Amino acid sequence: MVRIFFIILFLTIGTVISYLMITNAGDRKKRLELHVLSGAGLIRPMEELLSSFEKEHQVKTVFHFGGSGELMGQLAMKQPSDIFIPGANKYIKDARKRGWISEGTVRDVVKHVPVIAVAYDNPKQIKTLEDLVRPGLAIALGDPDGCAIGHLADSILKKNELYDRIQPNIKVRTPTVNQLLLYVALSKVDAAIIWEDMASWSKSKDKLGVIRIPDDQNIVKTISIAVTAHSANRESAKVLCDFIGSHRGRHIWLKWGFEPCTD
Amino acid sequence: MHRLDLFKGSMIVFACLVSLVLLFAIGSLFFIPEWSDIRASLASEEIIYSLGMSLMTGIFSTVLVMLAAVPIAYSFSRYSFPGQRVVRTVLYLPIAFPELVLGLCLLLFFGSSFASTFFQAVGLDLVFTKKGIIAAQFFTALPYAVRIIKTVFDSIDPQLELVSRSLGYSQIGTFCSVSLPLAKSGLKAATAIAFARCVGAFGSVLILAGGTRMNTETLTIALYLNMSYGNLDLAITAGMLLVIVAFVGIYAIETMESRSPAIRRTT
């Protein structure tokens, strides 16, 4: 009986402590919280940017990484959010049309460049976009509605009149770009169209090869950032936006393989 | 006596409270959306396709799970062999680790050159295919089925099997006409749970079968895909269908449990 009592006591205390840890209710001074909705592909630079911002300002950032479409869903459901930075500015435009963006806060941050990712030693000798339609290849692309790169890959293929011919080679269409990286890195497919920056992290680790798409064939996107319309801390959110687009911010973007916009 | 009643009462109130919270959470799935939107979603090509895909793969996987689980469970229950505990632990592992990890393991294994040549030779291409959905569901649901059936076999008195043998039945004859009929209610419960697990499988299916829309799209994938498009009506509809499937499965078990004392010990 006594033992059971102690077990229950223990469990209760444990639950309360973990609850406090999760909700940060133990913080003596409650800091301002900024919620950041970020495209899943931007996770590395965004984490570094946010943590250096936190150190300088007395602000806590809570970030949610997801496919750009998923982030749109969160905006639609009016979940707490202050800053929106999706994988392509198409989503910023869409969100703006629906009135989810605070006017005058949109700014371009970096370029987002699509490349062809292939298995590390490129056993299928893929050199160009045209090679992707070669019979017998296994290609992975993003779902056109699920992630920015999926939609963009379709546009690039259509622009180069390869869209119909590549269809037999498409083995899988994934909801997020990260899944594409996984399948190429594990050689489950021969090639995928992903973002240059993502490919470059893995390339440096000898997980995959990167084939650039010539400028005249490619469609380069811009990543923009904006403060959301229902942000509760609009001023602080604006400061964070400025920081991410600042000279110092660009340094961090460069480090992770992104090309800063020239403006 | 008074103290006992207080004890009993607080236990019951607690059980009701927790289930009430859950009931409200599940209920909100059904009461928040507009019914006209749900009806439109139900008629959509994507929901019809994914429901059909879930049911077909679910039924097929469940049959496979049961065919595999019965002999496995029987061997665990009746025979002791060296390393049985290790074998059992390995088989039950997927219960404890995240489905995503299971999916990754299956992808690595079935995608490896050795395994893929073997499986492709027997006509099983499991990566990014509908067969892959079944493989993922199979390994997700198998441990649950084995656990339930083993407990049922454990509860059957081996003496009954011995008597059958002594009366001239063969081992197979005894198994089919004594052990299996005695375990009938447990087998039904295991089938229901296995089916619910198969239909509810997500992470393993997403990674192994890829989650391509209108191809390897089960209800759980449809829920995820549409949630990530911000298409909430379709996502909620898929969610409702999943709740209904789960409810039918669990309710079936609860009904059988109350009828048969044998599997009361499984829970």
Side-chain angles (χ1 to χ4, degrees), chain A:
Chain A
M1 195 61 200
V2 176
R3 233 170 82 193
I4 291 175
F5 173 75
F6 272 109
I7 290 173
I8 292 175
L9 189 73
F10 235 66
L11 284 175
T12 315
I13 292 172
T15 314
V16 170
I17 289 177
S18 43
Y19 176 77
L20 288 179
M21 276 163 70
I22 291 166
T23 56
N24 271 326
D27 259 0
R28 257 163 291 144
K29 203 173 74 187
K30 190 144 173 58
R31 287 198 287 175
L32 182 67
E33 272 187 5
L34 286 177
H35 293 259
V36 180
L37 300 181
S38 164
L42 313 177
I43 187 163
R44 305 287 183 94
M46 281 304 284
E47 270 180 348
E48 192 171 337
L49 283 160
L50 293 179
S51 72
S52 52
F53 184 79
E54 275 185 347
K55 266 177 222 149
E56 283 171 34
H57 301 77
Q58 282 305 304
V59 173
K60 196 174 146 34
T61 53
V62 181
F63 40 84
H64 180 90
F65 293 101
S68 296
E70 185 185 341
L71 301 177
M72 291 289 277
Q74 285 174 326
L75 280 179
M77 288 191 282
K78 297 276 184 293
Q79 287 189 0
S81 63
D82 299 288
I83 287 185
F84 181 45
I85 176 164
N89 66 0
K90 161 188 180 289
Y91 295 97
I92 293 260
K93 283 181 194 147
D94 287 353
R96 203 169 157 189
K97 260 184 238 156
R98 298 182 200 182
W100 298 340
I101 295 295
S102 169
E103 282 304 319
T105 59
V106 180
R107 65 181 290 166
D108 295 344
V109 184
V110 282
K111 286 181 191 166
H112 222 186
V113 187
V115 292
I116 302 168
V118 294
Y120 172 57
D121 43 1
N122 198 358
K124 298 284 164 69
Q125 291 298 308
I126 295 162
K127 299 258 165 56
T128 62
L129 208 53
E130 287 79 17
D131 286 343
L132 297 182
V133 301
R134 212 160 59 203
L137 286 187
I139 309 293
L141 294 178
D143 187 283
D145 293 324
C147 52
I149 191 69
H151 185 80
L152 189 56
D154 279 5
S155 305
I156 293 171
L157 291 164
K158 278 176 190 155
K159 177 182 167 186
N160 294 285
E161 288 167 3
L162 297 168
Y163 183 73
D164 295 324
R165 285 156 63 204
I166 202 172
Q167 295 305 321
N169 286 354
I170 298 177
K171 291 289 171 282
V172 60
R173 299 205 73 138
T174 65
T176 64
V177 62
N178 309 56
Q179 223 175 316
L180 291 173
L181 188 68
L182 172 77
Y183 292 147
V184 178
L186 296 175
S187 300
K188 297 299 169 273
V189 292
D190 298 313
I193 294 180
I194 66 173
W195 299 115
E196 181 187 25
D197 48 274
M198 294 195 77
S200 54
W201 316 329
S202 307
K203 189 189 168 202
S204 57
K205 288 183 187 158
D206 293 345
K207 289 275 162 50
L208 44 82
V210 173
I211 288 140
R212 292 182 142 272
I213 303 169
D215 284 348
D216 56 322
Q217 292 187 329
N218 209 350
I219 305 174
V220 174
K221 285 287 168 182
T222 309
I223 293 173
S224 310
I225 192 166
V227 177
T228 61
H230 61 275
S231 165
N233 307 294
R234 215 167 283 193
E235 284 314 307
S236 313
K238 192 94 187 30
V239 176
L240 176 54
C241 276
D242 290 342
F243 175 78
I244 289 172
S246 71
H247 188 70
R248 274 192 47 220
R250 281 175 193 195
H251 238 71
I252 297 177
W253 286 107
L254 262 174
K255 178 176 154 193
W256 292 106
F258 288 85
E259 234 172 285
C261 284
T262 42
D263 57 0

Side-chain angles (χ1 to χ4, degrees), chain A residues 69-70 143 145 173 183 188, chain B residues 107 206-207 210 212-213 228-229:
Chain A
E70 185 185 341
D143 187 283
D145 293 324
R173 299 205 73 138
Y183 292 147
K188 297 299 169 273
Chain B
L107 177 72
L206 177 71
I207 298 293
T212 307
R213 187 143 56 118
S228 60
Y229 302 159

